[in-house]
Amino acid sequence: MAWETVIGLEIHAQLATRSKIFSGASTAYGAAPNTQACAVDLALPGVLPVLNREAVRMAVKFGLALDADIPQRSVFARKNYFYPDLPQGYQISQFDQPIVARGHLDITLENGETRQIGVTRAHLEQDAGKSLHEDFHGLTGIDLNRAGTPLLEIVSEPELRSAKEAVAYMKKMHALVQYLEICDGNMAEGSFRCDANVSVRPVGQVEFGTRAEIKNLNSFRFIERAINYEVERQIDLIEAGGEVVQETRLYDPDKGETRSMRSKEEANDYRYFPCPDLLPVEISTALLDEVRQTLPELPDEKKQRFMAEFSLSEKDATELSANREIAEYFEVVAQGCGEAKMAANWVMGELSAHLNKADIPIAECPVSAKTLTVLIQRITDKTISGKIAKDVFVELWSGESDVDAIIDSKGLKQITDSSAIEAMIAEVLENNPSQVEQFRAGKEKLMGFFVGQVMKASKGKANPGQVNEILRRLLNS
Amino acid sequence: MHNKSLAELSASLQSGEISSVELTQHFLERIKRHDSALNSFVTVTEEQALSAARQADQLIATGQAGQLTGIPIAQKDIFCTEGIRTACGSKMLDNFISPYSATVVEKLDTAGMPLLGKLNMDEFAMGSSNETSFYGPVKNPWDLERVPGGSSGGSAAAVAARLAPIATGTDTGGSIRQPASLCGLTGIKPTYGRVSRWGMIAFASSLDQAGVLGHSAADCALVLGAMAGFDAKDSTSIDRETPDYSASLSTPLEGLKIGLPKEYFDEGLDSGVGKVVDTAIERYRTLGAEVIEISLPNTHLAVPAYYVIAPAECSSNLSRFDGVRYGYRCKDPKDLTDMYERSRGEAFGAEVKNRIMIGTYALSAGYYDAYYLKAQKVRRLISDDFKRAFEQVDVIMGPTSPVTAFKIGEKADDPISMYLSDIYTIAVNLAGLPGMSIPAGLVEGLPAGLQLIGNAFEEGKLLNIAHQFQQVTDWHLQSPAAFA
């Protein structure tokens, strides 16, 4: 039987506010345990929450970027359950009146096709603290630094049809929140993570199958693997005559499998009700207008502009616009050197490769956009060849900053003197008489061999165009 | 000294006739002498009180004193007090020393009022008789076999017995007005949002409001003025200027329209209390007021709606008492669930558990619409009743409590009868309106109160109306003989 996969994602994006959503304590990551938890975060008797207006603005900004409905009024509700790292005994969240209602996001699939994914809602809530089970001799340690950190929970419609689509959606959302500067997107620190609701159904069936929720996926790779594993597990189960049960599952990245955490029967009744300590949030048109003014150019707009302005292919434009900082870097280089295609190749090629290898974001890139611009200009003005430029780039990466100084001190300037090149070629031909003979007998593939030899003799500095031209002339004479 | 009004005490302090230290000492000695019979204080803060009194004396000496500087006060043990145990009547918080102070406490500190101590109360303010306290019942100074009312029973007993000139209270369904009525005091619960809830341990957040219990409207006006005001730390506090309550006390009542809701004079009302109320209303006529019968048709729904909303909120508010970070933790828990169950099971009293159970049930999936949502709708209806009434009248009057003080233990096993103690006061909390109780007479030697209900933010008018009554009557000056 052919199966169709149905996936809905719940993304938790930690909002980049300086203080917590309902208290003045800092949200900075990595402080000593419980040093960033004030009376409100500790839920002392008698304390009260006060809403951080910045978190509201960020949620509104997100809603505007998704072209979503933003209701005039939204309500905070208490989600009641006991857990040691949940100091109040309830999480302040939003239930039936979220701050962002229905919106959508376009994703581009690997085959170039674009799909619109519905976003059901996005709501504000507070994060819990952390329970630490190691190093306490059988006891549990509680760190409440994270308690009260603002989260935006973004819920998609069950419209994703494969792990790859889920990853494409997640990546697009990841880029978007960073474009909007509402989330640092740091997945390793848990600033951007998701739960995936996964079910399968026979192709053609309208009703959804029973779903399992995979909790806390914090890397694109894990999302893809976890979903693929889960889909296979469900299909195997059904085909063997079993039934999928509605439950919460955890992905174990070491074993590459999902495991049952709790079933629906064990699920909490959260007893949601409006939080009486907080007034409903009123969103005025004035606030909407004000926040709209702060919206940056969004990834899709940027992609379209890159295609129009720089004549980039859709693929290149998509890749370059996915990350705001990379897009901005590219644009500086493209405008500076006037060769957008070359700029694109360099940014997606050498630069990305070095960044990936060093595992650093572009913000920490040792080669500035201006420096890369100069380097490309030295290729276009024929001072150096593209190949030599890669060597220069390596020097730049390791800390040098003056392109021309590197070219001068290392004597990398391209040889464009025809007589000098001709002399080098003559020497190469003289040293390889049998290959010359074969070439002249029709084995034209040997052209590459000769070019290689000449470049080697010139230490890569001979102008490749001239080498080709002169070689052809001398060999055919 | 202990029978003087706050204005008189203030004058004595300013003139140097007495010092704040002497005054504070006087009340501390009265507490020592009398409180073993009453059990109104759970913590006496002698050192802090005397140190604050010395500071007050300095301010007075250097001419920097305000009207309340140097007059001691006692706080209901629901308000967090930095460095002082704040137990809220519960074993759960018996070991809890608050690291911070409530806004109300800070404001009264700033006004220069030495803190005599923390007052007994029903556990987490859940009760109408002060019998649910972990620290034992409080006795009514008018009859030691009777309850003082609740939940601010310690506040009422302490002030009635002149162990403190004035005290704070909180009122979620009548917890200031009912004990004021049962102990012959003037008590005011202001409009919801008038006084900050920061640092006041939550029972039912949408109903809780702090206020004051004293001998007279004039005394209450002074202290309420110092407590009230917007607080950025409480999102439900209202950003509105606090009027000078003392300034408007003398406004004549000529032409005042008093509404008497017929629903407040039903068969549940004790005939003695009814007579006291009738006589008081007559007195208002002689002051130039016009009396109009009105109807608050949804009155009968107030108690049922309240006993859904208040427990629902309390079931959530009390979840933080889990034995994890502070408060009571059971011995040798075998796992997390055991720790939760035994810590809460061993430290909460029966009434608190009752209400947590009711509230949890009312919020549960499948019951939410039938209980919580419906109760919220009733709440709006009750609010609308009052809105319509205030289009017609300036103030609503009636009994505060259907009965005078009952015997300790008399209603302890009959929660419904206990819940009906608040039948006339609860609707006011549901509507968020200001309410007062003033002493209006004695029934067989026990005080009975007249309730005044005002429109939103009209506590100034209520104090004025109460003060005018107290200018022509002396019920508020009477004190229980044993504590004269």
Side-chain angles (χ1 to χ4, degrees):
Chain A
M1 191 188 291
W3 296 91
E4 183 180 42
T5 304
V6 177
I7 304 161
L9 293 186
E10 291 171 17
I11 296 174
H12 288 87
Q14 191 182 104
L15 295 178
T17 56
R18 272 191 301 237
S19 59
K20 293 185 177 176
I21 186 165
F22 299 120
S23 84
S26 167
T27 53
Y29 181 81
N34 298 309
T35 54
Q36 284 172 186
C38 68
V40 173
D41 307 320
L42 294 171
L44 290 184
V47 298
L48 296 167
V50 176
L51 178 60
N52 182 336
R53 305 309 303 186
E54 196 50 37
V56 171
R57 292 176 66 97
M58 286 182 176
V60 167
K61 199 172 177 185
F62 175 80
L64 290 172
L66 283 191
D67 194 21
D69 295 332
I70 299 173
Q72 274 185 5
R73 155 182 278 237
S74 73
V75 172
F76 281 99
R78 292 185 185 175
K79 179 180 181 180
N80 294 284
Y81 66 97
F82 284 97
Y83 205 69
D85 59 24
L86 185 74
Q88 295 159 146
Y90 53 83
Q91 177 193 32
I92 303 178
S93 179
Q94 296 190 301
F95 186 51
D96 52 359
Q97 291 177 267
I99 188 155
V100 175
R102 179 84 198 192
H104 59 83
L105 187 74
D106 291 340
I107 60 168
T108 308
L109 308 178
E110 274 182 344
N111 61 9
E113 190 190 320
T114 300
R115 278 197 59 202
Q116 187 172 89
I117 305 299
V119 173
T120 318
R121 58 182 281 165
H123 67 254
L124 285 167
E125 63 185 23
Q126 54 180 179
D127 208 346
K130 278 182 186 158
S131 294
L132 309 165
H133 300 290
E134 284 147 36
D135 307 330
F136 292 95
H137 312 288
L139 300 176
T140 297
I142 306 292
D143 177 6
L144 295 176
N145 282 352
R146 201 182 64 184
T149 299
L151 295 178
L152 188 66
E153 180 173 328
I154 307 156
V155 182
S156 85
E157 290 288 312
E159 292 175 354
L160 298 158
R161 291 290 173 267
S162 69
K164 282 214 176 345
E165 284 189 28
V167 170
Y169 170 86
M170 184 82 174
K171 280 189 170 159
K172 190 71 181 284
M173 233 12 135
H174 187 243
L176 182 65
V177 295
Q178 291 179 84
Y179 258 78
L180 298 171
E181 295 178 315
I182 61 171
C183 173
D184 68 14
N186 190 326
M187 297 176 80
E189 289 174 6
S191 301
F192 192 83
R193 56 192 196 257
C194 82
D195 304 337
N197 283 297
V198 180
S199 65
V200 297
R201 63 181 169 189
V203 171
Q205 182 182 302
V206 180
E207 304 86 53
F208 292 129
T210 306
R211 66 172 196 270
E213 184 181 17
I214 315 169
K215 282 278 183 198
N216 258 328
L217 297 165
N218 67 349
S219 91
F220 297 125
R221 210 163 4 128
F222 291 169
I223 293 167
E224 187 165 350
R225 287 185 189 166
I227 292 174
N228 281 333
Y229 175 89
E230 181 59 21
V231 167
E232 242 175 85
R233 186 190 70 87
Q234 292 186 10
I235 293 173
D236 288 351
L237 189 63
I238 299 168
E239 288 185 342
E243 258 181 42
V244 176
V245 291
Q246 191 174 332
E247 63 183 351
T248 304
R249 298 180 70 86
L250 264 189
Y251 177 67
D252 179 342
D254 297 330
K255 294 192 177 147
E257 60 182 33
T258 64
R259 274 201 306 273
S260 181
M261 215 171 124
R262 58 173 181 264
S263 72
K264 192 190 173 192
E265 285 70 38
E266 296 165 73
N268 283 308
D269 175 357
Y270 291 118
R271 306 189 311 280
Y272 279 100
F273 76 106
C275 180
D277 290 329
L278 292 162
L279 302 175
V281 183
E282 307 281 349
I283 305 293
S284 64
T285 34
L287 178 71
L288 287 178
D289 291 342
E290 199 189 311
V291 175
R292 198 174 275 120
Q293 299 299 317
T294 68
L295 279 182
E297 185 184 34
L298 297 173
D300 286 345
E301 294 162 11
K302 212 182 265 290
K303 178 177 103 181
Q304 294 302 333
R305 186 169 59 79
F306 281 1
M307 288 166 68
E309 206 170 297
F310 299 123
S311 309
L312 295 184
S313 68
E314 180 163 5
K315 188 170 168 293
D316 288 356
T318 303
E319 187 173 336
L320 285 167
S321 60
N323 175 298
R324 182 173 173 173
E325 283 168 323
I326 287 177
E328 283 168 358
Y329 187 105
F330 158 74
E331 211 170 340
V332 170
V333 178
Q335 274 168 353
C337 73
E339 290 286 340
K341 181 62 190 163
M342 268 176 98
N345 288 343
W346 272 89
V347 171
M348 294 186 296
E350 289 300 298
L351 185 79
S352 291
H354 277 77
L355 289 172
N356 286 342
K357 199 172 161 206
D359 195 21
I360 53 171
I362 195 159
E364 290 163 29
C365 177
V367 184
S368 75
K370 282 218 173 90
T371 305
L372 182 59
T373 304
V374 174
L375 183 62
I376 294 174
Q377 280 168 340
R378 291 298 165 268
I379 302 169
T380 54
D381 69 11
K382 299 200 163 64
T383 306
I384 53 173
S385 67
K387 189 165 179 297
I388 291 286
K390 290 181 182 175
D391 297 337
V392 176
F393 185 84
V394 172
E395 299 290 321
L396 294 169
W397 185 269
S398 55
E400 298 293 329
S401 60
D402 189 333
V403 174
D404 292 323
I406 298 170
I407 294 171
D408 279 351
S409 69
K410 304 236 162 185
L412 299 174
K413 201 164 183 301
Q414 187 162 251
I415 299 164
T416 50
D417 175 348
S418 293
S419 57
I421 294 173
E422 197 165 332
M424 279 188 271
I425 292 175
E427 202 182 327
V428 167
L429 297 186
E430 206 178 299
N431 292 340
N432 297 284
S434 67
Q435 281 88 348
V436 172
E437 211 168 296
Q438 286 174 38
F439 181 87
R440 285 184 174 146
K443 200 171 178 189
E444 297 223 342
K445 270 201 289 187
L446 281 168
M447 190 66 185
F449 165 76
F450 293 118
V451 171
Q453 290 298 309
V454 176
M455 293 310 283
K456 195 172 159 192
S458 72
K459 300 198 175 74
K461 291 185 289 184
N463 178 291
Q466 282 171 291
V467 170
N468 262 292
E469 189 195 312
I470 297 169
L471 251 177
R472 223 165 265 286
R473 178 161 53 80
L474 290 182
L475 281 167
N476 292 330
S477 64
Chain B
M1 211 186 286
H2 50 268
N3 284 315
K4 286 185 173 178
S5 71
L6 296 196
E8 287 164 345
L9 289 176
S10 187
S12 301
L13 287 163
Q14 302 290 339
S15 71
E17 189 191 320
I18 47 162
S19 70
S20 175
V21 169
E22 285 167 327
L23 185 63
T24 303
Q25 199 88 60
H26 176 76
F27 281 104
L28 288 169
E29 273 160 25
R30 283 188 64 81
I31 295 167
K32 269 180 212 155
R33 181 148 24 106
H34 293 292
D35 201 44
S36 55
L38 293 173
N39 195 28
S40 66
F41 279 83
V42 289
T43 306
V44 178
T45 50
E46 180 165 350
E47 257 175 57
Q48 286 100 327
L50 290 172
S51 143
R54 281 190 289 275
Q55 278 180 33
D57 282 332
Q58 271 178 5
L59 290 176
I60 292 165
T62 52
Q64 300 171 70
Q67 252 193 309
L68 294 169
T69 306
I71 301 173
I73 190 167
Q75 295 276 4
K76 185 174 181 178
D77 205 23
I78 199 169
F79 294 101
C80 286
T81 39
E82 187 180 338
I84 299 166
R85 181 180 66 177
T86 302
C88 213
S90 183
K91 180 179 179 182
M92 182 59 86
L93 291 177
D94 185 47
N95 64 359
F96 178 66
I97 310 289
S98 177
Y100 79 106
S101 283
T103 297
V104 162
V105 172
E106 275 184 358
K107 284 192 157 218
L108 295 177
D109 273 355
T110 306
M113 302 186 83
L115 174 66
L116 293 168
K118 306 293 294 287
L119 295 162
N120 204 345
M121 56 183 282
D122 278 301
E123 184 176 9
F124 287 107
M126 297 174 199
S128 306
S129 66
N130 218 114
E131 290 168 290
T132 72
S133 172
F134 172 64
Y135 300 95
V138 176
K139 319 287 168 53
N140 190 320
W142 292 84
D143 178 344
L144 296 178
E145 288 182 5
R146 291 177 188 272
V147 302
S151 66
S152 309
S155 307
V159 176
R162 272 69 176 167
L163 309 188
I166 196 150
T168 56
T170 59
D171 190 317
T172 304
S175 280
I176 287 174
R177 291 159 290 158
Q178 185 254 17
S181 175
L182 269 48
C183 290
L185 296 178
T186 303
I188 182 164
K189 174 205 99 75
T191 310
Y192 183 80
R194 184 57 107 179
V195 178
S196 169
R197 292 189 296 116
W198 172 260
M200 186 175 117
I201 299 176
F203 160 17
S205 313
S206 74
L207 301 162
D208 296 343
Q209 181 59 205
V212 57
L213 295 94
H215 294 298
S216 67
D219 286 3
C220 290
L222 276 175
V223 175
L224 183 62
M227 287 166 71
F230 173 69
D231 182 2
K233 292 200 285 260
D234 174 3
S235 307
T236 62
S237 92
I238 286 165
D239 195 357
R240 199 174 164 126
E241 209 182 321
T242 308
D244 180 350
Y245 296 127
S246 301
S248 57
L249 290 174
S250 309
T251 309
L253 301 186
E254 200 65 47
L256 180 79
K257 285 189 182 135
I258 297 173
L260 298 185
K262 59 179 188 211
E263 294 81 4
Y264 284 27
F265 297 87
D266 57 357
E267 67 275 16
L269 178 62
D270 173 86
S271 64
V273 175
K275 252 181 229 142
V276 165
V277 171
D278 291 344
T279 312
I281 302 292
E282 275 316 302
R283 187 57 92 148
Y284 272 109
R285 276 190 217 273
T286 66
L287 291 172
E290 184 190 341
V291 178
I292 302 162
E293 191 191 80
I294 58 165
S295 175
L296 300 172
N298 294 295
T299 296
H300 65 290
L301 298 175
V303 171
Y306 175 88
Y307 278 98
V308 170
I309 293 169
E313 291 182 12
C314 104
S315 72
S316 174
N317 282 335
L318 269 57
S319 293
R320 67 189 55 202
F321 304 111
D322 57 5
V324 174
R325 301 167 312 288
Y326 52 79
Y328 181 83
R329 183 188 289 179
C330 68
K331 288 222 159 47
D332 306 320
K334 69 174 198 296
D335 57 26
L336 181 63
T337 307
D338 184 49
M339 181 174 90
Y340 284 150
E341 288 180 356
R342 281 204 291 122
S343 298
R344 291 167 66 82
E346 290 165 17
F348 285 142
E351 183 60 27
V352 169
K353 286 180 195 163
N354 261 349
R355 299 204 196 189
I356 290 175
M357 298 282 282
I358 294 169
T360 302
Y361 180 81
L363 290 176
S364 295
Y367 299 99
Y368 181 86
D369 289 3
Y371 292 101
Y372 186 80
L373 218 55
K374 184 161 266 179
Q376 290 293 6
K377 284 179 189 156
V378 167
R379 189 171 183 173
R380 258 191 303 281
L381 293 178
I382 286 168
S383 207
D384 291 346
D385 279 1
F386 281 112
K387 270 195 197 113
R388 268 191 299 277
F390 284 116
E391 284 165 13
Q392 240 189 307
V393 300
D394 302 308
V395 63
I396 293 169
M397 290 189 189
T400 304
S401 163
V403 293
T404 54
F406 44 92
K407 289 228 162 114
I408 292 172
E410 187 183 324
K411 295 188 180 184
D413 300 326
D414 184 0
I416 302 297
S417 153
M418 187 74 91
Y419 293 175
L420 290 174
S421 302
D422 295 328
I423 190 164
Y424 305 131
T425 49
I426 273 174
V428 175
N429 299 76
L430 290 171
L433 300 174
M436 271 190 94
S437 181
I438 56 174
L442 294 174
V443 180
E444 293 168 16
L446 293 171
L450 172 74
Q451 183 174 211
L452 319 180
I453 302 166
N455 210 343
F457 301 103
E458 291 195 340
E459 39 281 301
K461 190 185 268 178
L462 289 187
L463 288 161
N464 162 230
I465 295 167
H467 180 72
Q468 290 304 305
F469 182 80
Q470 292 177 341
Q471 294 305 101
V472 296
T473 58
D474 65 355
W475 299 112
H476 63 293
L477 298 177
Q478 308 218 358
S479 59
F483 302 90

